[in-house]
Amino acid sequence: MARPAPMRQMPQIAHVDVNCFYASAERAFDPSLEGRPLVVLSNNDGCAVTRSPEAKALGIATGEPWFKLAPRAEEWGLVAKSSNYELYGDISARVMELLGRYSAWLEVYSIDEAFLGVKGDTGQLLALGGRIKESVRRHVGVPVCVGIAPTKTLAKLCNQWAKNNPAFGGVCVWESVPAEVREGLMGRLPVDEVWGIAGRLSKRLNVLGIFTVLDLVHADPVMIRDRFSVVLMRTVLELRGTPCIPMEEERIGRDQLIFSRSFATPVTTSAGLREVLSIYAQQASARLAKHGLQAKVLTAFAATSPFRNHEQAYPSVCVPLPMPTADPLLLTKAAHALLPKMRDGLKYAKAGLMLTDLRPSGNQPPLAPFENRHEARGIGPLLDDASRRFGRGSIGLGHAGIRSGLDWTMKRGMRSPRYTTHWDELPLVKAA
């Protein structure tokens, strides 16, 4: 008698998310911050962008200005840290490298979360989620939660349950939760908690009587498509367990690249703005080269503070490039097209570049008369390599040359050390 064929295990998707990522990264190298209310501030130490659970318990909202929190910080025992992007980027890279050991099917979705393709029965998936959680905590030092389900949307939902319900212990597998419990959880969760549904869309859904995740699950997908979009219909189908959002090998924003910063001190002269645009063009060139991309269109823009009642200005210029390029010289020249539209004396608080119509490098080689000699010499990758080896500001072109102490650069007065990326800021360990 022939043995029955074993049941085929359907592929599942694991969603791994670092809890309060910026705050957790700060705590990884400073244990004294554990258990204390902690906020990480936005550019120029403006407002709270990440809050530890203890800070949330104080009623501190995301986006709360630091100048309002500072007077009560000592009373609350509140600690504030400037954004330490070098540290966060390195911690993120370590987390993603570690996750890649558990699956060859990895999609890095953002700096603090990723999707993994996994297989196994319910018990095996629960054990895998536990190993991932323990491994990241032990080897990188940051806490994560894991949600595993048949679709991306359900995996995100499971991760949210794992994070907010201590009974799950930080790991939630869809199939391990009884159907009646799943319905109860979805019936208590507002519809705007679903991945991809923002406040404005949730209000439109509320008009149709769709207030909770469970209401959306029971909605007619065809009606949702006709009244909203195919994208939202896919969300409904995903909530029902039908995979509609495929895994992607790479997410680097291939449609556009934006490089924009606010200034710690306003820039008031054309010379200062020329320097800003030159530096931004050089750094944008390095990012393009890193991802093997070239741009066909550059948009440069600047803005005064929106809180100034007088003398507001928002100049911008769109420059079609002669050929797809990542060359810093061509990008700098194009960015300088904004300068004639700027007025000396105005206090510009922000500037930036947006590169669009991106395409892979070498995808369409130009004819010989139109070749860019700088591109062939690899100036962009050379600058990027030198900056990574010797530090930003060690090399530059023209107005983006070697400088130090630029007064318009981002203010980060409460930044912690960049423990893992700068030799002179490495942590010291002393044996007792």
Side-chain angles (χ1 to χ4, degrees):
M1 182 176 176
R3 293 182 179 179
M7 291 184 63
R8 183 182 177 187
Q9 294 176 341
M10 296 299 294
Q12 302 282 300
I13 295 177
H15 177 252
V16 183
D17 182 31
V18 182
N19 303 339
C20 303
F21 176 58
Y22 288 0
S24 296
E26 295 286 350
R27 286 173 167 175
F29 287 92
D30 188 353
S32 70
L33 297 175
E34 291 286 352
R36 301 177 64 185
L38 169 67
V39 294
V40 177
L41 304 177
S42 62
N43 293 349
N44 298 315
D45 297 341
C47 58
V49 292
T50 295
R51 305 157 296 151
S52 69
E54 298 81 5
K56 293 176 183 178
L58 291 173
I60 298 173
T62 299
E64 190 80 15
W66 172 241
F67 74 85
K68 290 185 177 181
L69 299 173
R72 301 194 64 184
E74 185 175 355
E75 172 191 346
W76 290 336
L78 178 65
V79 179
K81 293 289 185 179
S82 302
S83 296
N84 190 341
Y85 298 118
E86 296 89 341
L87 175 64
Y88 307 152
D90 188 63
I91 293 292
S92 173
R94 293 172 185 233
V95 171
M96 300 311 165
E97 189 276 333
L98 186 57
L99 294 180
R101 302 179 190 180
Y102 291 91
S103 175
W105 195 18
L106 173 69
E107 176 189 333
V108 179
Y109 185 72
S110 68
I111 192 172
D112 63 344
E113 59 182 318
F115 293 102
L116 291 79
V118 295
K119 287 185 178 181
D121 58 33
T122 302
Q124 291 170 333
L125 293 175
L126 280 169
L128 174 64
R131 289 198 302 272
I132 291 174
K133 178 175 178 288
E134 180 183 358
S135 180
V136 175
R137 181 63 166 172
R138 179 176 182 180
H139 296 292
V140 185
V142 294
V144 302
C145 286
V146 184
I148 303 177
T151 71
K152 279 185 171 182
T153 304
L154 287 178
K156 291 268 287 187
L157 192 63
C158 285
N159 192 303
Q160 189 172 358
W161 291 345
K163 189 174 296 184
N164 297 325
N165 294 273
F168 287 111
V171 178
C172 177
V173 176
W174 177 258
E175 295 296 340
S176 72
V177 183
E180 61 274 14
V181 176
R182 295 196 302 243
E183 288 203 359
L185 290 170
M186 289 190 291
R188 293 193 294 270
L189 201 62
V191 71
D192 60 4
E193 295 291 332
V194 175
W195 181 34
I197 297 182
R200 185 175 300 178
L201 178 56
S202 68
K203 291 179 181 178
R204 293 177 59 195
L205 289 168
N206 293 164
V207 172
L208 299 178
I210 300 173
F211 295 95
T212 68
V213 177
L214 189 60
D215 293 334
L216 187 60
V217 171
H218 292 153
D220 179 7
V222 177
M223 181 273 293
I224 292 294
R225 180 198 64 190
D226 294 341
R227 293 210 176 198
F228 296 92
S229 66
V230 172
V231 174
L232 188 56
M233 181 187 75
R234 290 173 183 160
T235 298
V236 174
L237 294 175
E238 287 245 325
L239 288 171
R240 293 182 175 187
T242 302
C244 298
I245 306 174
M247 292 280 288
E248 302 175 23
E249 293 184 359
E250 189 91 31
R251 280 181 52 88
I252 57 174
R254 290 188 178 274
D255 54 342
Q256 65 181 17
L257 185 154
I258 299 176
F259 197 99
S260 175
R261 296 288 187 274
S262 297
F263 306 141
T265 302
V267 176
T268 59
T269 66
S270 296
L273 288 165
R274 178 181 287 108
E275 182 178 57
V276 172
L277 294 171
S278 300
I279 291 174
Y280 287 3
Q282 178 177 308
Q283 294 175 350
S285 168
R287 289 193 185 180
L288 287 174
K290 177 181 177 181
H291 295 298
L293 295 174
Q294 295 177 322
K296 189 66 173 63
V297 179
L298 180 145
T299 301
F301 57 90
T304 55
S305 171
F307 302 106
R308 294 179 62 84
N309 296 327
H310 304 289
E311 297 182 332
Q312 291 190 359
Y314 307 93
S316 66
V317 63
C318 181
V319 183
L321 299 167
M323 66 196 75
T325 183
D327 177 57
L329 296 178
L330 291 180
L331 296 180
T332 299
K333 182 178 179 181
H336 287 175
L338 180 66
L339 296 174
K341 296 191 174 187
M342 309 182 105
R343 292 162 47 197
D344 281 351
L346 288 187
K347 295 183 177 181
Y348 291 98
K350 182 178 183 178
L353 302 178
M354 180 170 67
L355 299 169
T356 53
D357 194 2
L358 306 186
R359 56 194 70 184
S361 300
N363 191 41
Q364 187 178 6
L367 298 175
F370 303 100
E371 287 182 350
N372 174 23
R373 67 181 187 276
H374 304 299
E375 203 95 50
R377 293 174 180 173
I379 294 178
L382 173 64
L383 293 175
D384 181 43
D385 181 60
S387 296
R388 282 189 286 105
R389 292 178 61 188
F390 303 108
R392 184 174 293 181
S394 59
I395 191 171
L397 295 172
H399 296 280
I402 302 171
R403 297 288 180 91
S404 60
L406 300 174
D407 59 2
W408 53 264
T409 51
M410 185 170 59
K411 180 176 68 176
R412 295 191 287 177
M414 293 175 281
R415 177 180 60 76
S416 56
R418 294 162 293 188
Y419 298 103
T420 61
T421 59
H422 288 64
W423 284 108
D424 56 346
E425 298 179 27
L426 290 178
L428 299 177
V429 179
K430 298 180 180 179

